[in-house]
Amino acid sequence: MSVERALWEHDAIGLAGMVRKGEISPQELVDAAIARAEATRPDINAIAEPLYEAARTRAKTIDRKLPLAGVPFALKDLGIAMKGVPTHGGSRIPAFVADFDSVMTERHLAAGLVPIATSTSPEHGLRLMTESTAFGITRNPWNTAHTSGGSSGGAAALVAAGVVPVAHASDGGGSIRVPAACTGLVGLKTSRGRVPLSPLVTESWYGLVVDHAVARSVRDSALLLDLTHGPDPLSPYAAPPPRGTFAAAAARDPGKLKLAVYRKSPLGLPISAETLTALDMAIALAREGGHTIEEIDLPYIGRDFIADFARTVAAAVAGAMRIEVLRVGRSVSGDVERSTRLMSRFGEIVSAGEIYAGLQRLHATSRRLITETAPYDAVLMPVIAHPPLACGAMDPKGADAFIEDVLDRLRLARLLKFKPLFGELMDKSLWFTHWPAIQNVSGQPSIALPVHVTDAGLPLGIQAAGRPGDEETLLSFAAQMEKISGWQARRAPLQMPA
């Protein structure tokens, strides 16, 4: 088997095993990944910064006994630092170049991973499609006319295209799970505090953001979590320690689980028939695994909850823009996209008191959610309301005038009392996905799983949300679903190597 074919067919654990046995050298594997990256780059446009020469240098000295020795990897161009590597955040603002590694980067490198590139993100991770003025459109390897999702869309495109078997990703409102659902991958949004973000930040978006990965297999996601989780003295949160290893959890039978299904839209917006088909397919797979299923409603997760989430994110964006101004020493309004400026303006007109009150409402609802769903081992629900959209389908240029008009009317009102106006704005920005923000607010883990391919040949995944701190049950269940469905062997039909 050629190295290129091995990279296409195997997950990270499989490739590391081949390196350990001497069947492939780290240098051969990294060279194959770089060649694949360049071959697919015109089609998917998923690389922000190539790190090829540094990767080749690192591959020469890798200890082949490391758990993921020589495995090609990608870091997201947002929220993580690697010494000497420019971080753009998907923006034309002058890049930040760290003189340190994030704790997570240190753990990636200690595991033997070899970063070959940074992956594209929409500007500041604010959209669930990876399209930016700075880097252009990132495309789905299953069909390059469609999105790979966002904001970790570059990471998902690189994994789905067979460039790397696993890639770093982050999630503040679905940014791991949406790309995974769009590209047929496993995307685990971890519990709050499971993986530290330090020292780049201690928390992001008031604790809504977590980091982990998109992966080709459940076992890769589990092993990578074993190698990167754990407290850090600078982190304000710490998830409960697991009972064993996450890899062991993914390898064992989950037993008979009690599962719930939540199929309504929190926003009351339309859900496509394909999305409901994917959810029903997941239910059928779970029943085949021997689990009990109960349909539930979450009436307190509604428009007000999502509105408080949206206001919180807007306030965080406004604060981030202020920090960028201090960093570069000048105004950045001319560097950022108009949609980012508008969101920042929205964040500026929300009072500090309203943000604090909104956070308290979100926390109260989260406590109720966690308490009322505690009897269930996991809750199945959609990730995206529609199959992966056509590239440009949510072009911010089409929404900017609408958003600006809403903002102007809100400013005239002085306070956010015009709920119909705010509801219009929220519907426009969240039409594609209604559910993932729930777990970002509650801090619960949730894993996106591939279960369905639409009639148009596009993947459409669903998610299983678990109890706080209980990634082990989710990984065990997900591995079983993966085995029953046979999905792990499927690949995107993009330039398959010989």
Side-chain angles (χ1 to χ4, degrees):
M1 180 188 296
S2 70
V3 180
E4 292 77 12
R5 189 74 191 186
L7 182 66
W8 177 257
E9 291 190 355
H10 291 278
D11 63 2
I13 291 174
L15 292 170
M18 296 176 78
V19 168
R20 202 156 37 247
K21 295 173 185 175
E23 297 172 0
I24 297 176
S25 73
Q27 296 98 311
E28 289 174 321
L29 197 49
V30 166
D31 282 340
I34 292 170
R36 180 75 177 159
E38 286 301 296
T40 59
R41 194 171 181 179
D43 295 309
I44 61 174
N45 186 36
I47 291 176
E49 287 281 341
L51 306 176
Y52 299 158
E53 291 314 308
R56 288 188 172 109
T57 299
R58 178 170 174 76
K60 293 175 183 177
T61 60
I62 284 287
D63 180 352
R64 298 191 185 199
K65 295 179 182 178
L66 294 174
L68 294 173
V71 173
F73 190 64
L75 297 169
K76 186 176 177 180
D77 180 41
L78 181 70
I80 191 170
M82 186 173 183
K83 187 175 181 179
V85 175
T87 300
H88 305 272
S91 180
R92 292 172 295 176
I93 297 174
F96 168 70
V97 182
D99 60 359
F100 61 88
D101 288 336
S102 290
V103 169
M104 187 165 37
T105 302
E106 293 175 346
R107 295 176 181 179
H108 289 149
L109 298 178
L113 293 166
V114 182
I116 67 161
T118 62
S119 63
T120 51
S121 163
E123 189 168 62
H124 299 289
L126 296 179
R127 302 175 63 211
L128 293 171
M129 296 176 72
T130 300
E131 302 177 4
S132 70
T133 302
F135 292 98
I137 296 173
T138 296
R139 299 176 180 275
N140 195 326
W142 286 79
N143 183 329
T144 55
H146 290 259
T147 185
S148 60
S151 64
S152 304
L158 290 173
V159 176
V163 176
V164 295
V166 62
H168 162 253
S170 59
D171 192 315
S175 290
I176 288 175
R177 291 161 288 161
V178 170
C182 288
T183 57
L185 302 177
V186 176
L188 174 62
K189 180 261 172 207
T190 54
S191 298
R192 183 176 295 133
R194 178 65 69 203
V195 178
L197 308 180
S198 51
L200 185 63
V201 294
T202 51
E203 69 168 17
S204 182
W205 289 8
Y206 300 91
L208 300 179
V209 175
V210 300
D211 281 46
H212 184 42
V214 287
R216 187 170 288 172
S217 67
V218 174
R219 70 175 188 168
D220 276 0
S221 186
L223 177 61
L224 187 61
L225 190 55
D226 278 325
L227 298 169
T228 55
H229 86 95
D232 178 75
L234 299 180
S235 179
Y237 309 108
R243 296 180 297 275
T245 68
F246 297 112
R252 67 174 173 252
D253 187 279
K256 186 174 182 179
L257 302 179
K258 183 178 181 180
L259 305 175
V261 176
Y262 173 59
R263 64 172 70 240
K264 292 185 179 179
S265 163
L267 289 169
L269 294 176
I271 305 170
S272 72
E274 291 274 23
T275 291
L276 295 176
T277 296
L279 185 59
D280 288 337
M281 187 168 293
I283 293 169
L285 290 170
R287 286 200 171 111
E288 189 176 341
H291 310 302
T292 61
I293 308 288
E294 181 180 332
E295 299 266 351
I296 64 169
D297 191 12
L298 303 172
Y300 46 88
I301 305 292
R303 296 181 68 81
D304 289 344
F305 179 90
I306 302 297
D308 279 332
F309 166 81
R311 277 188 286 261
T312 299
V313 172
V317 172
M321 291 301 99
R322 291 183 176 222
I323 291 169
E324 289 291 73
V325 167
L326 291 174
R327 180 176 68 83
V328 302
R330 60 169 175 78
S331 170
V332 297
S333 62
D335 298 298
V336 299
E337 297 170 16
R338 191 170 178 223
S339 55
T340 303
R341 291 200 303 274
L342 293 173
M343 184 171 286
S344 179
R345 283 173 54 192
F346 178 53
E348 292 287 357
I349 66 172
V350 182
S351 72
E354 175 60 18
I355 291 300
Y356 183 82
L359 284 167
Q360 294 306 307
R361 290 191 293 269
L362 290 173
H363 295 329
T365 304
S366 295
R367 291 192 293 271
R368 181 177 177 185
L369 172 70
I370 291 166
T371 300
E372 293 190 7
T373 58
Y376 302 102
D377 294 294
V379 181
L380 302 177
M381 64 183 75
V383 178
I384 50 179
H386 307 275
L389 302 178
C391 292
M394 293 188 74
D395 187 335
K397 293 178 182 177
D400 280 351
F402 169 82
I403 295 171
E404 191 147 30
D405 177 58
V406 170
L407 287 173
D408 286 341
R409 285 184 281 168
L410 288 171
R411 188 177 296 103
L412 289 172
R414 303 298 301 170
L415 295 173
L416 300 181
K417 292 180 178 177
F418 287 3
K419 286 190 176 181
L421 297 181
F422 184 59
E424 289 179 69
L425 174 61
M426 193 167 60
D427 289 355
K428 192 85 172 181
S429 60
L430 296 175
W431 175 83
F432 183 34
T433 180
H434 315 165
W435 300 269
I438 297 170
Q439 290 78 39
N440 293 96
V441 172
S442 69
Q444 294 169 272
S446 185
I447 190 165
L449 299 171
V451 294
H452 178 54
V453 176
T454 69
D455 291 340
L458 289 162
L460 207 168
I462 60 89
Q463 65 178 326
R467 301 184 183 98
D470 190 14
E471 285 91 340
E472 288 171 278
T473 298
L474 287 185
L475 288 164
S476 182
F477 170 65
Q480 183 192 54
M481 294 277 280
E482 179 181 69
K483 182 177 180 180
I484 295 172
S485 69
W487 186 278
Q488 205 273 321
R490 301 192 71 161
R491 297 289 181 270
L494 176 73
Q495 297 182 18
M496 189 177 297

